[in-house]
Amino acid sequence: MPVRLLKPTLRTSMKWNACTLFDQSTYIRILMVADDYGRYYGHPKLLASELWPLGGERSADVTAAQIETSLFNLNR
């Protein structure tokens, strides 16, 4: 799997900063599982389990509905 880099200009992007922290985290986590062409399974339930495999402080409660909303927000 290739190493992906985020440009520092992302920090000052108006569109990026308009996203919630959950949406930003979803975006970054999708980058980690997507293939070289940016493809991955789009089923929200699968994404919820793949993007947050170990649970954690807030992530244990991540639902498919939250992922679906996040994907919608990221596509705006």
Coordinates of all heavy atoms in Angstrom, one line a residue:
M1 N 0.8 -1.2 0.0 CA 0.0 0.0 0.0 C 0.9 1.2 0.0 O 1.9 1.3 0.8 CB -0.9 0.0 1.2 CG -1.8 1.2 1.3 SD -3.1 1.1 2.5 CE -4.0 -0.3 2.0
P2 N 0.6 2.2 -0.8 CA 1.4 3.4 -0.9 C 1.3 4.3 0.3 O 0.3 4.3 1.0 CB 0.9 4.1 -2.2 CG -0.5 3.7 -2.3 CD -0.5 2.3 -1.8
V3 N 2.3 5.1 0.5 CA 2.3 6.1 1.6 C 1.6 7.3 1.1 O 1.8 7.8 0.0 CB 3.7 6.4 2.0 CG1 3.7 7.5 3.0 CG2 4.4 5.2 2.6
R4 N 0.6 7.8 1.8 CA -0.2 8.9 1.4 C 0.3 10.1 2.2 O 0.5 10.0 3.4 CB -1.6 8.7 1.6 CG -2.1 7.4 0.9 CD -3.4 7.5 0.2 NE -3.9 6.3 -0.2 CZ -3.7 5.6 -1.3 NH1 -2.8 6.1 -2.2 NH2 -4.3 4.5 -1.6
L5 N 0.4 11.3 1.6 CA 0.8 12.5 2.3 C -0.3 13.5 2.2 O -0.9 13.7 1.2 CB 2.1 13.0 1.7 CG 3.3 12.1 1.8 CD1 4.4 12.7 1.0 CD2 3.7 11.8 3.2
L6 N -0.5 14.2 3.3 CA -1.5 15.4 3.3 C -0.7 16.6 3.2 O 0.3 16.8 4.0 CB -2.3 15.4 4.5 CG -3.2 14.1 4.7 CD1 -3.9 14.2 6.1 CD2 -4.3 14.1 3.6
K7 N -1.0 17.5 2.4 CA -0.3 18.8 2.2 C -0.6 19.7 3.4 O -1.7 19.8 3.9 CB -0.7 19.5 0.9 CG -0.2 18.7 -0.3 CD -0.5 19.5 -1.6 CE 0.0 18.7 -2.8 NZ -0.2 19.4 -4.0
P8 N 0.4 20.5 3.8 CA 0.2 21.4 4.9 C -0.9 22.5 4.7 O -1.5 23.0 5.6 CB 1.5 22.1 5.1 CG 2.5 21.1 4.5 CD 1.8 20.4 3.4
T9 N -1.1 22.7 3.4 CA -2.2 23.7 3.1 C -3.6 23.3 3.4 O -4.5 24.1 3.5 CB -2.1 24.1 1.6 OG1 -2.3 22.9 0.8 CG2 -0.8 24.8 1.2
L10 N -3.7 22.0 3.7 CA -5.0 21.5 4.2 C -5.5 22.2 5.5 O -6.6 22.5 5.6 CB -4.9 20.0 4.4 CG -6.2 19.2 4.7 CD1 -7.2 19.3 3.6 CD2 -5.9 17.8 5.0
R11 N -4.5 22.5 6.3 CA -4.9 23.2 7.6 C -5.6 24.5 7.4 O -6.4 24.9 8.2 CB -3.6 23.4 8.4 CG -2.9 22.2 8.9 CD -1.6 22.5 9.7 NE -0.7 23.2 8.8 CZ -0.3 24.5 9.0 NH1 -0.7 25.2 10.0 NH2 0.6 25.0 8.2
T12 N -5.3 25.2 6.3 CA -5.8 26.5 6.1 C -6.9 26.5 5.0 O -7.4 27.6 4.6 CB -4.7 27.5 5.6 OG1 -4.1 27.0 4.5 CG2 -3.7 27.7 6.8
S13 N -7.4 25.3 4.6 CA -8.4 25.2 3.6 C -9.8 25.6 4.3 O -10.1 25.0 5.3 CB -8.5 23.8 3.1 OG -9.7 23.6 2.4
M14 N -10.5 26.5 3.7 CA -11.8 26.9 4.2 C -12.8 25.7 4.1 O -13.6 25.4 5.1 CB -12.4 28.0 3.4 CG -11.6 29.3 3.5 SD -11.4 29.9 5.2 CE -13.0 30.7 5.4
K15 N -12.8 24.9 3.1 CA -13.6 23.8 2.9 C -13.3 22.7 4.0 O -14.2 22.1 4.6 CB -13.5 23.2 1.5 CG -14.6 22.1 1.2 CD -14.5 21.7 -0.3 CE -15.6 20.7 -0.6 NZ -15.6 20.3 -2.0
W16 N -12.0 22.4 4.2 CA -11.6 21.4 5.2 C -12.1 21.9 6.6 O -12.6 21.1 7.4 CB -10.1 21.3 5.1 CG -9.6 20.3 6.1 CD1 -8.9 20.7 7.3 CD2 -9.6 18.9 6.1 NE1 -8.5 19.6 8.0 CE2 -8.9 18.4 7.3 CE3 -10.2 18.0 5.3 CZ2 -8.8 17.1 7.6 CZ3 -10.0 16.6 5.6 CH2 -9.4 16.2 6.7
N17 N -11.8 23.1 6.9 CA -12.2 23.6 8.2 C -13.7 23.8 8.5 O -14.1 23.9 9.6 CB -11.4 24.9 8.5 CG -9.9 24.6 8.8 OD1 -9.6 24.0 9.8 ND2 -9.1 25.0 7.9
A18 N -14.4 23.7 7.4 CA -15.9 23.8 7.6 C -16.4 22.4 7.9 O -17.6 22.2 8.4 CB -16.6 24.3 6.3
C19 N -15.6 21.3 7.8 CA -16.0 20.0 8.1 C -15.9 19.8 9.6 O -15.1 20.4 10.3 CB -15.1 19.0 7.4 SG -15.3 18.9 5.6
T20 N -16.7 18.8 10.1 CA -16.6 18.5 11.5 C -15.3 17.6 11.7 O -14.8 17.1 10.7 CB -17.8 17.6 12.0 OG1 -17.8 16.4 11.3 CG2 -19.1 18.4 11.7
L21 N -14.9 17.5 12.9 CA -13.7 16.7 13.2 C -14.0 15.2 12.8 O -13.1 14.5 12.4 CB -13.3 16.8 14.7 CG -12.7 18.1 15.1 CD1 -12.4 18.2 16.6 CD2 -11.4 18.4 14.3
F22 N -15.2 14.8 13.0 CA -15.5 13.4 12.6 C -15.4 13.2 11.1 O -14.9 12.2 10.7 CB -17.0 13.1 13.1 CG -17.3 11.6 12.8 CD1 -16.9 10.6 13.6 CD2 -18.1 11.4 11.7 CE1 -17.2 9.3 13.3 CE2 -18.5 10.0 11.4 CZ -18.0 9.0 12.2
D23 N -15.9 14.2 10.4 CA -15.8 14.1 8.9 C -14.3 14.1 8.5 O -13.9 13.4 7.6 CB -16.5 15.3 8.2 CG -18.0 15.2 8.4 OD1 -18.5 14.1 8.8 OD2 -18.7 16.2 8.1
Q24 N -13.5 15.0 9.1 CA -12.1 15.0 8.8 C -11.4 13.7 9.1 O -10.6 13.2 8.3 CB -11.4 16.2 9.6 CG -11.8 17.5 9.1 CD -11.2 18.6 10.0 OE1 -10.5 18.4 11.0 NE2 -11.5 19.9 9.7
S25 N -11.8 13.1 10.2 CA -11.2 11.8 10.6 C -11.6 10.7 9.6 O -10.8 9.9 9.2 CB -11.6 11.5 12.0 OG -11.0 10.3 12.4
T26 N -12.9 10.8 9.2 CA -13.4 9.8 8.2 C -12.6 9.9 6.9 O -12.2 8.9 6.4 CB -14.9 10.0 8.0 OG1 -15.6 9.8 9.2 CG2 -15.4 9.1 6.9
Y27 N -12.4 11.1 6.5 CA -11.6 11.4 5.2 C -10.2 10.8 5.3 O -9.8 10.0 4.4 CB -11.6 12.9 4.9 CG -10.8 13.2 3.7 CD1 -11.3 13.1 2.4 CD2 -9.5 13.7 3.8 CE1 -10.6 13.4 1.3 CE2 -8.7 14.0 2.7 CZ -9.3 13.9 1.4 OH -8.6 14.2 0.3
I28 N -9.5 11.1 6.4 CA -8.1 10.6 6.6 C -8.1 9.1 6.7 O -7.2 8.4 6.1 CB -7.5 11.3 7.8 CG1 -7.3 12.8 7.5 CG2 -6.2 10.6 8.2 CD1 -6.9 13.6 8.7
R29 N -9.1 8.5 7.4 CA -9.1 7.1 7.5 C -9.4 6.4 6.2 O -8.9 5.3 5.9 CB -10.1 6.7 8.6 CG -9.6 7.0 10.0 CD -10.7 6.9 11.0 NE -10.2 7.4 12.3 CZ -9.8 6.6 13.3 NH1 -9.8 5.3 13.1 NH2 -9.5 7.1 14.5
I30 N -10.3 7.0 5.4 CA -10.5 6.4 4.1 C -9.3 6.4 3.2 O -9.0 5.5 2.5 CB -11.7 7.1 3.4 CG1 -13.0 6.8 4.0 CG2 -11.7 6.8 1.9 CD1 -14.2 7.6 3.5
L31 N -8.5 7.5 3.3 CA -7.2 7.5 2.6 C -6.3 6.3 2.9 O -5.6 5.8 2.1 CB -6.5 8.8 2.9 CG -7.0 10.1 2.2 CD1 -6.1 11.3 2.6 CD2 -6.9 10.0 0.7
M32 N -6.4 5.9 4.2 CA -5.5 4.8 4.6 C -6.0 3.5 4.1 O -5.1 2.5 4.0 CB -5.5 4.8 6.2 CG -4.7 5.9 6.7 SD -4.4 5.8 8.5 CE -5.9 6.5 9.1
V33 N -7.2 3.3 3.7 CA -7.7 2.0 3.2 C -7.9 1.9 1.7 O -8.0 0.9 1.2 CB -9.0 1.5 4.0 CG1 -8.7 1.3 5.5 CG2 -10.1 2.4 3.7
A34 N -8.0 3.1 1.1 CA -8.2 3.1 -0.4 C -7.0 2.6 -1.1 O -5.9 2.7 -0.7 CB -8.5 4.5 -0.8
D35 N -7.3 2.0 -2.3 CA -6.2 1.5 -3.2 C -5.6 2.7 -3.9 O -5.9 3.8 -3.7 CB -6.8 0.4 -4.1 CG -7.7 0.9 -5.2 OD1 -7.9 2.2 -5.4 OD2 -8.3 0.1 -5.9
D36 N -4.7 2.3 -4.8 CA -3.9 3.3 -5.6 C -4.8 4.3 -6.4 O -4.4 5.4 -6.8 CB -2.9 2.7 -6.5 CG -1.8 2.0 -5.8 OD1 -1.6 2.3 -4.6 OD2 -1.1 1.1 -6.4
Y37 N -6.0 3.8 -6.7 CA -6.9 4.6 -7.5 C -8.0 5.3 -6.7 O -8.9 5.9 -7.2 CB -7.6 3.7 -8.6 CG -6.6 3.1 -9.5 CD1 -6.2 1.8 -9.3 CD2 -6.0 3.8 -10.5 CE1 -5.2 1.2 -10.1 CE2 -5.0 3.3 -11.4 CZ -4.7 1.9 -11.2 OH -3.7 1.4 -12.0
G38 N -7.8 5.3 -5.4 CA -8.8 5.9 -4.5 C -10.1 5.1 -4.3 O -11.1 5.7 -3.8
R39 N -10.0 3.9 -4.6 CA -11.3 3.0 -4.5 C -11.3 2.2 -3.2 O -10.2 1.8 -2.7 CB -11.3 2.1 -5.7 CG -11.5 2.8 -7.0 CD -11.5 1.8 -8.1 NE -10.2 1.0 -8.1 CZ -9.8 0.3 -9.1 NH1 -10.4 0.3 -10.2 NH2 -8.7 -0.4 -9.0
Y40 N -12.5 2.0 -2.7 CA -12.7 1.1 -1.6 C -14.2 0.9 -1.5 O -15.0 1.5 -2.2 CB -12.2 1.7 -0.3 CG -12.1 0.7 0.8 CD1 -11.1 -0.2 0.8 CD2 -13.0 0.7 1.9 CE1 -11.0 -1.2 1.8 CE2 -12.9 -0.2 2.9 CZ -11.9 -1.2 2.8 OH -11.8 -2.1 3.8
Y41 N -14.6 -0.1 -0.7 CA -16.0 -0.4 -0.6 C -16.7 0.8 0.0 O -16.2 1.4 0.9 CB -16.2 -1.7 0.3 CG -15.4 -2.9 -0.3 CD1 -14.2 -3.3 0.3 CD2 -15.9 -3.6 -1.4 CE1 -13.6 -4.4 -0.2 CE2 -15.3 -4.7 -1.9 CZ -14.1 -5.1 -1.3 OH -13.4 -6.1 -1.8
G42 N -17.9 1.0 -0.5 CA -18.7 2.2 -0.1 C -19.8 1.9 0.9 O -20.5 2.8 1.3
H43 N -19.9 0.7 1.3 CA -21.0 0.3 2.2 C -20.7 0.9 3.6 O -19.7 0.6 4.2 CB -21.2 -1.2 2.3 CG -22.4 -1.6 3.0 ND1 -22.6 -1.6 4.4 CD2 -23.6 -2.0 2.5 CE1 -23.8 -2.0 4.7 NE2 -24.5 -2.2 3.5
P44 N -21.6 1.8 4.1 CA -21.4 2.5 5.4 C -21.1 1.5 6.6 O -20.2 1.8 7.4 CB -22.6 3.3 5.6 CG -23.2 3.5 4.3 CD -22.8 2.3 3.5
K45 N -21.8 0.4 6.7 CA -21.5 -0.5 7.8 C -20.1 -1.1 7.7 O -19.4 -1.2 8.7 CB -22.6 -1.6 7.8 CG -22.6 -2.5 9.0 CD -23.8 -3.4 9.1 CE -23.7 -4.2 10.4 NZ -24.9 -5.0 10.5
L46 N -19.7 -1.5 6.5 CA -18.3 -2.0 6.3 C -17.3 -0.9 6.6 O -16.3 -1.2 7.3 CB -18.2 -2.5 4.9 CG -16.8 -3.0 4.5 CD1 -16.4 -4.2 5.4 CD2 -16.7 -3.4 3.1
L47 N -17.6 0.3 6.1 CA -16.6 1.4 6.4 C -16.5 1.6 7.9 O -15.4 1.9 8.4 CB -17.1 2.7 5.7 CG -16.7 2.7 4.2 CD1 -17.4 3.9 3.6 CD2 -15.2 2.8 4.0
A48 N -17.6 1.6 8.6 CA -17.6 1.8 10.1 C -16.6 0.8 10.8 O -15.8 1.2 11.6 CB -19.0 1.8 10.7
S49 N -16.7 -0.4 10.4 CA -15.9 -1.4 11.0 C -14.4 -1.4 10.5 O -13.5 -1.7 11.3 CB -16.5 -2.8 10.8 OG -16.4 -3.2 9.4
E50 N -14.2 -1.0 9.3 CA -12.9 -0.9 8.7 C -12.1 0.3 9.2 O -10.9 0.3 9.4 CB -12.9 -1.0 7.2 CG -13.2 -2.3 6.7 CD -12.1 -3.3 6.9 OE1 -10.9 -3.0 6.8 OE2 -12.5 -4.5 7.2
L51 N -12.8 1.5 9.3 CA -12.2 2.7 9.6 C -11.9 2.8 11.1 O -11.0 3.5 11.5 CB -13.0 3.9 9.2 CG -13.3 4.0 7.7 CD1 -14.1 5.2 7.3 CD2 -12.0 3.9 6.8
W52 N -12.7 2.2 12.0 CA -12.5 2.2 13.4 C -12.5 0.7 13.9 O -13.3 0.3 14.7 CB -13.6 3.0 14.1 CG -13.5 4.4 13.9 CD1 -12.8 5.3 14.7 CD2 -14.0 5.2 12.9 NE1 -12.9 6.6 14.3 CE2 -13.6 6.6 13.1 CE3 -14.8 5.0 11.8 CZ2 -13.9 7.6 12.3 CZ3 -15.1 6.0 10.9 CH2 -14.7 7.3 11.2
P53 N -11.5 -0.1 13.5 CA -11.5 -1.5 13.9 C -11.3 -1.8 15.4 O -11.7 -2.8 15.8 CB -10.3 -2.0 13.1 CG -9.4 -0.9 12.9 CD -10.3 0.3 12.8
L54 N -10.6 -0.9 16.1 CA -10.3 -1.2 17.5 C -11.2 -0.4 18.5 O -11.0 -0.4 19.6 CB -8.9 -0.8 17.8 CG -7.8 -1.6 17.0 CD1 -6.4 -1.1 17.3 CD2 -8.0 -3.1 17.2
G55 N -12.2 0.3 17.9 CA -13.1 1.1 18.8 C -12.3 2.2 19.4 O -11.5 2.9 18.7
G56 N -12.4 2.5 20.6 CA -11.7 3.6 21.2 C -12.6 4.5 22.0 O -13.8 4.2 22.1
E57 N -12.1 5.6 22.4 CA -12.8 6.6 23.2 C -14.2 6.9 22.7 O -15.2 6.7 23.3 CB -12.0 7.8 23.3 CG -12.6 8.9 24.2 CD -11.6 10.1 24.3 OE1 -10.4 9.9 24.4 OE2 -12.1 11.2 24.2
R58 N -14.3 7.4 21.4 CA -15.6 7.7 20.8 C -15.9 6.7 19.7 O -17.1 6.6 19.4 CB -15.5 9.1 20.2 CG -15.4 10.2 21.2 CD -15.4 11.6 20.5 NE -16.4 11.6 19.5 CZ -16.2 12.2 18.3 NH1 -15.1 12.8 18.0 NH2 -17.2 12.2 17.4
S59 N -14.9 6.1 19.2 CA -15.2 5.3 18.0 C -15.9 4.0 18.2 O -16.4 3.4 17.2 CB -13.8 5.1 17.3 OG -12.9 4.5 18.2
A60 N -16.0 3.5 19.4 CA -16.8 2.3 19.7 C -18.2 2.4 19.3 O -18.9 1.4 19.0 CB -16.6 1.9 21.1
D61 N -18.7 3.6 19.3 CA -20.1 3.9 19.0 C -20.3 4.4 17.5 O -21.4 4.9 17.2 CB -20.7 4.9 20.0 CG -20.6 4.4 21.4 OD1 -20.8 3.2 21.6 OD2 -20.3 5.2 22.3
V62 N -19.4 4.3 16.7 CA -19.5 4.8 15.3 C -20.5 3.9 14.6 O -20.3 2.6 14.6 CB -18.2 4.8 14.5 CG1 -18.4 5.1 13.1 CG2 -17.3 5.8 15.2
T63 N -21.5 4.5 14.0 CA -22.5 3.7 13.3 C -22.5 3.9 11.8 O -21.9 4.8 11.3 CB -23.9 4.1 13.8 OG1 -24.2 5.5 13.4 CG2 -24.1 4.0 15.3
A64 N -23.1 3.0 11.1 CA -23.2 3.1 9.6 C -23.9 4.4 9.3 O -23.6 5.1 8.3 CB -24.0 1.9 9.0
A65 N -24.9 4.9 10.0 CA -25.6 6.1 9.8 C -24.7 7.3 9.9 O -24.7 8.3 9.1 CB -26.8 6.3 10.7
Q66 N -23.8 7.3 10.8 CA -22.8 8.4 11.0 C -21.9 8.4 9.8 O -21.5 9.5 9.3 CB -22.0 8.2 12.3 CG -22.8 8.5 13.5 CD -22.0 8.2 14.8 OE1 -21.6 7.1 14.9 NE2 -21.8 9.2 15.6
I67 N -21.4 7.3 9.4 CA -20.5 7.2 8.2 C -21.3 7.7 7.0 O -20.7 8.5 6.2 CB -20.0 5.7 8.0 CG1 -19.2 5.3 9.2 CG2 -19.3 5.6 6.7 CD1 -17.9 6.0 9.4
E68 N -22.5 7.3 6.8 CA -23.3 7.8 5.6 C -23.4 9.3 5.6 O -23.2 9.9 4.6 CB -24.6 7.1 5.6 CG -25.4 7.2 4.3 CD -26.6 6.3 4.3 OE1 -26.8 5.5 5.2 OE2 -27.3 6.4 3.2
T69 N -23.7 9.9 6.8 CA -23.8 11.3 6.9 C -22.5 12.0 6.6 O -22.4 13.0 5.9 CB -24.3 11.7 8.3 OG1 -25.6 11.1 8.5 CG2 -24.4 13.2 8.4
S70 N -21.4 11.4 7.1 CA -20.0 11.9 6.9 C -19.7 11.9 5.4 O -19.1 12.9 4.9 CB -19.0 11.1 7.7 OG -17.8 11.7 7.6
L71 N -20.0 10.8 4.7 CA -19.7 10.7 3.3 C -20.5 11.7 2.5 O -20.0 12.3 1.6 CB -20.0 9.3 2.8 CG -19.1 8.1 3.3 CD1 -19.7 6.8 2.8 CD2 -17.7 8.3 2.9
F72 N -21.7 11.9 2.9 CA -22.6 13.0 2.3 C -21.9 14.3 2.4 O -21.8 15.1 1.5 CB -24.0 13.0 2.8 CG -24.8 14.0 2.3 CD1 -25.4 13.9 1.0 CD2 -25.1 15.2 3.0 CE1 -26.2 14.9 0.5 CE2 -25.9 16.2 2.5 CZ -26.4 16.1 1.2
N73 N -21.5 14.6 3.7 CA -20.9 15.9 4.0 C -19.6 16.1 3.2 O -19.3 17.2 2.7 CB -20.6 16.1 5.5 CG -21.9 16.2 6.3 OD1 -22.9 16.5 5.8 ND2 -21.7 15.9 7.6
L74 N -18.8 15.1 3.1 CA -17.5 15.2 2.4 C -17.7 15.3 0.9 O -16.8 15.8 0.2 CB -16.6 13.9 2.7 CG -16.1 13.8 4.1 CD1 -15.5 12.5 4.3 CD2 -15.1 14.9 4.4
N75 N -18.8 14.9 0.3 CA -19.1 15.1 -1.1 C -19.7 16.4 -1.5 O -19.9 16.7 -2.7 CB -20.0 14.0 -1.6 CG -19.3 12.7 -1.9 OD1 -18.2 12.8 -2.5 ND2 -19.8 11.6 -1.5
R76 N -19.9 17.3 -0.5 CA -20.5 18.6 -0.8 C -19.5 19.5 -1.5 O -18.4 19.5 -1.3 CB -21.0 19.3 0.4 CG -22.3 18.6 0.9 CD -22.9 19.5 2.0 NE -22.3 19.2 3.3 CZ -22.2 20.1 4.2 NH1 -22.7 21.3 4.1 NH2 -21.7 19.8 5.4

